[in-house]
Amino acid sequence: MKVKRYDKLVRDRIPAIIGKAGKKFTTHIADDEEYQEKLWEKLGEEIEEFKDVPNEEELADILEVIETITSFYGLDPYAVETARQAKAGARGSFKDRIILEEVIEK
């Protein structure tokens, strides 16, 4: 018997998909502390995947994790978007590709 260990957060329907494929598996439900840790790990994983293959599907995975983080922390997605827009209006976005090299003070 071959066992492959993952110990990572997966999408809600993954266990059913694995079961339909005729495979056995084990899971557990994370407490808040573990869930928070695994969300941050998942975000890093998804960012790395997007860096390797920058496409819509990989970016959608990042957005899904961000949406889940938003919910976990009890944040209002509309308030987050409003804050994003306000910051973009006041400070700009990152579209101009400006790299700040240094600030010289007198």
Side-chain angles (χ1 to χ4, degrees), residues 9 30-40 68 72:
L9 183 66
D31 61 20
D32 284 351
E33 183 179 336
E34 182 183 25
Y35 188 47
Q36 181 179 1
E37 175 187 329
K38 295 300 183 181
L39 280 169
W40 291 118
T68 304
F72 177 78

Side-chain angles (χ1 to χ4, degrees), residues 1 6 17 21 34-35 38 47 56 58 78-81 91 99:
M1 176 188 312
Y6 289 92
I17 292 168
E34 182 183 25
Y35 188 47
K38 295 300 183 181
I47 289 169
E56 291 85 358
E58 296 300 339
Y78 298 106
V80 172
E81 177 58 17
R91 303 180 120 198
I99 306 298

Side-chain angles (χ1 to χ4, degrees), residues 33-102:
E33 183 179 336
E34 182 183 25
Y35 188 47
Q36 181 179 1
E37 175 187 329
K38 295 300 183 181
L39 280 169
W40 291 118
E41 286 177 13
K42 179 58 75 173
L43 182 58
E45 174 189 324
E46 298 300 349
I47 289 169
E48 288 303 313
E49 289 177 8
F50 180 77
K51 283 169 58 177
D52 291 343
V53 183
N55 62 35
E56 291 85 358
E57 187 173 316
E58 296 300 339
L59 187 57
D61 288 342
I62 293 170
L63 293 174
E64 183 67 31
V65 176
I66 289 172
E67 184 176 301
T68 304
I69 290 170
T70 301
S71 176
F72 177 78
Y73 285 102
L75 303 174
D76 178 352
Y78 298 106
V80 172
E81 177 58 17
T82 300
R84 185 199 66 76
Q85 289 176 5
K87 279 189 159 189
R91 303 180 120 198
S93 63
F94 300 98
K95 295 176 183 170
D96 289 344
R97 303 178 182 198
I98 298 168
I99 306 298
L100 180 64
E101 294 177 356
E102 60 188 10

